[in-house]
Amino acid sequence: MKLLTYEIDGKERIGVLNDEETWVYPASAAEIEYRNMKEFIREAGESEMEMLDCIRRRPPYEVPGAAPIGDIKILAPIPVPDQDVICLGINYAAHAEESARFKKEAFRKDTERQAVYFSKRVNRAVDPEGGISAHRDLTSQLDYEAELVVVIKKDAVNVKREEVKDYIFGYTIMNDVSAREVQTGHKQWYFGKSLDNFTPLGPWIATVDSIPFPPKQAIRSRVNGELRQNSNTELFLSSIEDVIVELSQGMTLKAGTLIATGTPAGVGMGFDPPKFLNVGDVVECEIEGIGVLKNTVVE
């Protein structure tokens, strides 16, 4: 099942895609009245999920408020996260190698057994089809990173490995846009990855049971149609179980928390010469079983 945040008639709503992904059915059709996706994640129970799952299988004429997908504006599934996105760095071996070639001292992973964590500030996530700001006053090394994002379902503390799936609401896609010389110049990654309009997110959330666990999904990116990244999430160095178990031992992962699981090889800085983004470039991040997140670089 795929849940989304969308705008129609000037109003923000949450809804569910039909099986063909051609129509959007509002959650209100199941008498579910939550203000936004964050509230839905925190408060919706199994009965609400079952009602939505039932509704998405109906023909559009049976669902009040149903709209063709072409008649709506798809928004980031969680437009304004409550906290920074938790991110994993260097979580694919091939990306670790290309990063070290670009600037070894900035991307060295000291211990293969330890995950690299950082956070990404998001004032507002960029919608699908929205613009990635070039920030040409700050960077000439604008880069892309396709990533699988885990959405936490309920507050997680001291989670056991066998319980991890129960704490996951679903998955979405993030483009971890990065200003490389800002990232490497500061010798930490927060500022270079947190500029305004650097977090495209979406196009929707695929619920946890819609994808086999743990996810072994093809992950790709394209720039202006050219395939750049082409890998699989089964190649994580630190698995989703590893990450949630470890983090929840020392911090509470609140419902709605976003955890970006790292990017595979093929980012712009990994090419010789590098292939950084320019104004007008179109970036598509695709994950099997979820969809395609498409954005354009703008001034």
Side-chain angles (χ1 to χ4, degrees), residues 24 41 44 52 54 106 129 136 185 240 249 268 270:
V24 176
I41 291 169
L52 284 178
C54 180
E129 302 289 344
R136 291 202 287 185
I240 292 171
Q249 304 312 304

Side-chain angles (χ1 to χ4, degrees), residues 76-281:
I78 300 178
V80 184
D82 285 336
Q83 298 175 310
D84 289 0
V85 178
I86 298 172
C87 301
L88 274 82
I90 317 299
N91 202 30
Y92 291 79
H95 178 56
E97 294 172 4
E98 71 177 0
S99 300
R101 287 196 304 269
F102 181 72
K103 197 160 187 176
K104 185 175 181 179
E105 65 273 20
F107 294 101
R108 184 183 65 229
K109 189 174 182 181
D110 295 323
T111 306
E112 290 299 324
R113 301 174 69 88
Q114 292 182 335
V116 174
Y117 298 115
F118 63 96
S119 64
K120 186 177 180 83
R121 171 74 60 175
V122 187
N123 288 321
R124 193 191 188 287
V126 178
D127 300 326
E129 302 289 344
I132 298 167
S133 295
H135 287 285
R136 291 202 287 185
D137 55 334
L138 289 173
T139 182
S140 61
Q141 297 181 349
L142 187 68
D143 213 345
Y144 54 89
E145 297 187 2
E147 306 204 11
L148 174 73
V149 174
V150 177
V151 183
I152 296 297
K153 177 181 180 180
K154 56 186 177 180
D155 290 2
V157 180
N158 296 323
V159 177
K160 296 179 175 61
R161 180 170 290 269
E162 62 271 18
E163 299 172 339
V164 165
K165 183 181 176 184
D166 295 334
Y167 284 85
I168 297 174
F169 180 77
Y171 310 96
T172 190
I173 305 170
M174 185 179 82
N175 184 349
D176 182 16
V177 181
S178 307
R180 293 301 184 193
E181 71 271 66
V182 179
Q183 177 185 4
T184 59
H186 283 274
K187 295 184 173 55
Q188 48 77 28
W189 301 350
Y190 189 71
F191 185 35
K193 288 175 172 284
S194 298
L195 304 184
D196 289 344
N197 299 320
F198 262 25
T199 310
L201 194 68
W204 35 65
I205 296 173
T207 54
V208 65
D209 289 329
S210 66
I211 291 175
F213 186 83
K216 298 180 180 180
Q217 308 303 112
I219 178 170
R220 305 180 183 91
S221 69
R222 295 177 176 83
V223 178
N224 301 327
E226 177 191 0
L227 182 65
R228 296 283 184 88
Q229 296 176 281
N230 188 14
S231 187
N232 195 289
T233 60
E234 69 177 331
L235 298 177
F236 290 152
L237 297 176
S238 296
S239 70
I240 292 171
E241 299 101 304
D242 293 337
V243 169
I244 291 177
V245 168
E246 180 174 52
L247 290 179
S248 70
Q249 304 312 304
M251 65 172 73
T252 300
L253 303 176
K254 298 184 74 64
T257 293
L258 302 177
I259 303 175
T261 53
T263 200
V267 300
M269 70 176 178
F271 290 89
D272 186 16
K275 294 183 177 182
F276 293 122
L277 298 173
N278 297 297
V279 172
D281 284 347

